[in-house]
């Protein structure tokens, strides 16, 4: 009988030991699985952010090309001078060309704004880097909008004033700043 009770007690201890070991391994497996899921989710978020940042940089590059094309187009247009003045352009023709330029500038800006805002809105709005991108974008948008509003509708326009109107240096400088901030954001996410 003692042998039986000893065997019985030994079996109970062995079953409890196996149960304890299996439950411990199950808990560790669950933790590993949760950790793997979290890492996979974090990696998917990072990949999504990188994709959106790549799209944002591509949009900035496209906008730069659009601005450069518009700048070249405006430089090539040339304004017809009246017969009796060597400093002032024909008001009607100048106004017509400037109206066309203003419309094209507004169209380019609106397309960029719509696309850029769509891409940027998919990024983490609380991220400081996104706030820097937003700040650089806002400066650019305001400068281009102000530039467009400064174009006169109808007036005689001199060479000096015309050169100021079609000067894109400030816009190109702000575009470069936006691209640099976006590239820094992309690099920081990529190296994270």
């Amino acid at each position: 009988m003692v042998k039986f009770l000893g065997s019985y007690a030994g079996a109970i201890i062995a079953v409890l030991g196996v149960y304890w070991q299996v439950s411990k391994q199950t808990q560790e497996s669950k933790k590993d699985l949760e950790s793997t899921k979290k890492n996979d989710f974090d990696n998917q978020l990072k990949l999504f952010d990188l994709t959106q940042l790549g799209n944002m940089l591509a949009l900035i590059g496209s906008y730069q090309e659009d601005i450069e094309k518009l700048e070249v187009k405006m430089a090539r247009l040339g304004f017809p001078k009246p017969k009796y003045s060597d400093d002032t352009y024909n008001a009607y023709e100048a106004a017509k060309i400037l109206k066309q330029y203003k419309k094209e500038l507004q169209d380019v800006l609106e397309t960029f704004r719509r696309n850029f805002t769509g891409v940027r809105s998919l990024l983490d709005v609380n991220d400081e880097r996104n706030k820097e991108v937003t700040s650089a974008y806002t400066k650019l948008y305001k400068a281009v909008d102000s530039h467009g509003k400064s174009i006169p509708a109808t007036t005689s326009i001199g060479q000096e004033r015309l050169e100021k109107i079609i000067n894109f240096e400030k816009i190109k400088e702000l575009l470069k700043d936006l691209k640099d901030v976006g590239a820094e954001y992309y690099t920081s996410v990529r190296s994270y």
Side-chain angles (χ1 to χ4, degrees), residues 53 56 60 116 120 123 128-138 178 181-183 185:
L53 287 166
M56 182 178 72
I60 294 169
F116 188 83
R120 199 186 82 242
L123 297 168
E128 282 302 314
R129 298 162 303 191
N130 194 7
K131 291 177 183 177
E132 291 171 11
V133 167
T134 301
S135 174
Y137 166 74
T138 302
L178 178 60
V181 170
Y185 190 0

Side-chain angles (χ1 to χ4, degrees), residues 29-41:
S29 295
K30 284 181 182 178
K31 286 180 184 176
D32 288 346
L33 181 60
E34 287 174 18
S35 176
T36 301
K37 283 180 182 179
K38 184 178 182 325
N39 287 340
D40 287 348
F41 182 72

